[in-house]
Amino acid sequence: MQNDGGVLVVAFGTRGDVLPLLHVARALSTSNARVRFATHEVHASLFDWLGIELIPVPTDPMRPAANAWTEYAPVVASCECSVPRVIVFNLFSLGAWYIARKFAVPTVAISPCLIPYQHPPSFITLLRRLQPGLRRRLLDADGRAGCLGWVEISHWLWPLWSGRWDELRAALQLPAEVLLAEEDLPPPPPLLYAFSSLLIPPPSYWPPSVRVVGCILDPAADGGGGEDGEHGHSSGSDIMIGSESLEAILTDRPLYIGFGSCSELILQTPESLTPRDSTGSPRGGSQPSLQCGRREDGITSACDDDAGEECEQRGEWGQRSIGARVLSAAAGLARLTGRPILLHACGCEALRSLWEQQLQQLQQREREAEEEEEEVEEEVEVEEVEEEVVAEVKETAEQEVEQVKAKVKARVKAKVEVEGEEVKGGPQRALLSSSCRPRFSLVAGELPLGRVFKRCCAALHHGGSGTVAAAVAASLPQLIHPLIFDQPRRDPLAEIPS
């Protein structure tokens, strides 16, 4: 093995989980440090033109791998070729801590989100059974400078003692009693929370090794991050439907609607997906819910495939989905306020297709309504012309009828244009007139949210850490529809100014 230094970054999870660590890697690479980055191969496009060595891992960002060794084998192989000087990882790649123990290198953990769960009561019983005496040793180390203690284990490291890591420890030839077998406890790995202390003030009981360092934004995005699609502007081919270009929509400060890496989840119905609060319980009640999506190392939180298939068989996708209802509400808001709507599908083809279909139906209904409005105006005009002609013909000579028709027709036409409220159906149909027609721009691919948010009037999104950070940095009002993991915790915090 050759130890030529460098930084190894291991980041698993969705794009929003990976991007903050990618920003750190980019900053390190610009200082001529060697940087390797291990993540799911589906995120490979994020590394185009960055000059960072990618270690692709063939696993699903939304579900833990069935075998931890399968997921971490490419990372271990890279370390065997060149041992890094430090390993940086996120909370969805806790196995990197075991790899660091194997190669005796220090670690730093970075997380853009606060852990929304605590260890189960059974964890202490399990630890006593697997490693008798370890908890007492860790409790004795609490408060001792430079020693890993129980306070770090209970706060965020406890999933490392689940059965998920048995294969990885065996492959690394680490003892099952990885800490108890060591003469001295290692120093605690720093955990850096990448969010603002204004959003979540750090409580006094956190260990000194846990710090809040602020949001990690993309320096190339002019002060703005975003959970999905931060890199590069959207190309013209990304504008799937809409009468105006993205630039024209941004000129009039649109309402942004996007759900980042949770875009697939809003294809479900509200009944099948209930947001969770900070304790993991359904918000607003205890009704059953389909807990979907985010991977949690040591804890299973994946989609219930059987429930998803049942929803699909019942036809609960499509028009009854959250995404469809959001667009319907946005159309009404656009009519009332005159604001354009910027829809961001965030790379989710199914959501793009649903929204595109809805927009086509909306445009068709509006064209039909406008045609009907024109027909009504013509009918009213003809009726009033005939009534006034009959009245005046009684008092005029027959040879003056054509002149009277022309004069009355001109007068009635001016009346219709000036006093539209007197026309049958006028006030209601004004909402569907061309001047109040909802304006949309649907972007399928990537958007630089840091720059886009500075030109929006408000944002409706899922509460992802990067999206919240970008909106706060842009002083943008935001409405959050939380879906999974830590997002419900940010719901009441979005009103905090930047």
Side-chain angles (χ1 to χ4, degrees), residues 142-210:
D142 279 346
R144 191 187 311 165
C147 285
L148 179 67
W150 176 253
V151 65
E152 284 89 10
I153 301 297
S154 61
H155 181 69
W156 69 286
L157 285 171
W158 64 268
L160 285 169
W161 275 262
S162 69
R164 164 170 163 73
W165 307 106
D166 292 344
E167 296 86 353
L168 179 60
R169 282 197 302 265
L172 295 173
Q173 298 181 350
L174 292 174
E177 300 178 350
V178 64
L179 292 180
L180 193 60
E182 301 180 17
E183 182 177 351
D184 297 319
L185 289 172
L191 171 59
L192 308 180
Y193 279 130
F195 50 73
S196 171
S197 59
L198 291 175
L199 293 176
I200 305 178
S204 59
Y205 57 82
W206 280 4
S209 59
V210 178

Side-chain angles (χ1 to χ4, degrees), residues 226-429:
E227 180 152 324
D228 291 84
E230 290 186 296
H231 301 285
H233 291 281
S234 170
S235 64
S237 61
D238 286 333
I239 309 301
M240 306 308 300
I241 190 170
S243 58
E244 301 177 64
S245 67
L246 175 62
E247 183 62 29
I249 288 289
L250 290 175
T251 300
D252 293 332
R253 299 184 62 81
L255 167 65
Y256 170 90
I257 299 178
F259 292 87
S261 56
C262 293
S263 295
E264 291 187 3
L265 297 184
I266 68 166
L267 294 172
Q268 302 180 37
T269 62
E271 295 80 13
S272 64
L273 181 62
T274 302
R276 301 273 175 157
D277 61 19
S278 59
T279 66
S281 301
R283 301 182 71 214
S286 58
Q287 65 269 29
S289 68
L290 179 61
Q291 189 171 357
C292 295
R294 195 72 69 93
R295 44 180 290 139
E296 300 172 13
D297 281 342
I299 301 178
T300 300
S301 157
C303 269
D304 186 336
D305 293 331
D306 294 336
E309 292 177 2
E310 182 181 353
C311 290
E312 189 170 8
Q313 292 171 359
R314 291 200 309 265
E316 291 185 344
W317 308 83
Q319 296 303 319
R320 291 189 57 202
S321 68
I322 299 173
R325 299 182 187 192
V326 165
L327 181 53
S328 298
L333 183 62
R335 292 189 185 98
L336 293 174
T337 64
R339 292 284 188 183
I341 306 295
L342 174 56
L343 298 171
H344 191 192
C346 304
C348 178
E349 177 63 23
L351 180 60
R352 181 207 63 78
S353 178
L354 171 64
W355 277 349
E356 184 179 40
Q357 180 183 7
Q358 278 193 283
L359 290 176
Q360 291 172 343
Q361 294 173 351
L362 178 64
Q363 290 178 343
Q364 178 63 28
R365 288 198 300 268
E366 289 175 347
R367 283 194 295 268
E368 294 174 354
E370 289 178 2
E371 293 174 357
E372 183 181 350
E373 180 182 3
E374 292 176 358
E375 293 176 358
V376 169
E377 290 179 352
E378 291 177 359
E379 292 175 359
V380 171
E381 181 179 337
V382 171
E383 290 176 359
E384 293 195 6
V385 167
E386 292 178 349
E387 291 176 359
E388 295 198 23
V389 165
V390 170
E392 292 198 20
V393 163
K394 294 179 180 179
E395 301 177 2
T396 59
E398 185 175 357
Q399 61 269 24
E400 296 178 347
V401 169
E402 294 300 325
Q403 296 179 2
V404 172
K405 281 187 176 182
K407 181 176 63 176
V408 174
K409 184 174 182 180
R411 187 166 65 247
V412 172
K413 182 177 181 180
K415 180 180 180 182
V416 170
E417 293 177 348
V418 176
E419 302 179 8
E421 66 275 10
E422 295 184 10
V423 179
K424 181 180 180 182
Q428 291 78 14
R429 298 192 179 276

Side-chain angles (χ1 to χ4, degrees), residues 426-449:
Q428 291 78 14
R429 298 192 179 276
L431 289 176
L432 292 176
S433 66
S434 59
S435 61
C436 296
R437 178 189 300 174
R439 299 162 55 202
F440 290 92
S441 183
L442 172 55
V443 179
E446 300 178 354
L447 276 179
L449 295 187

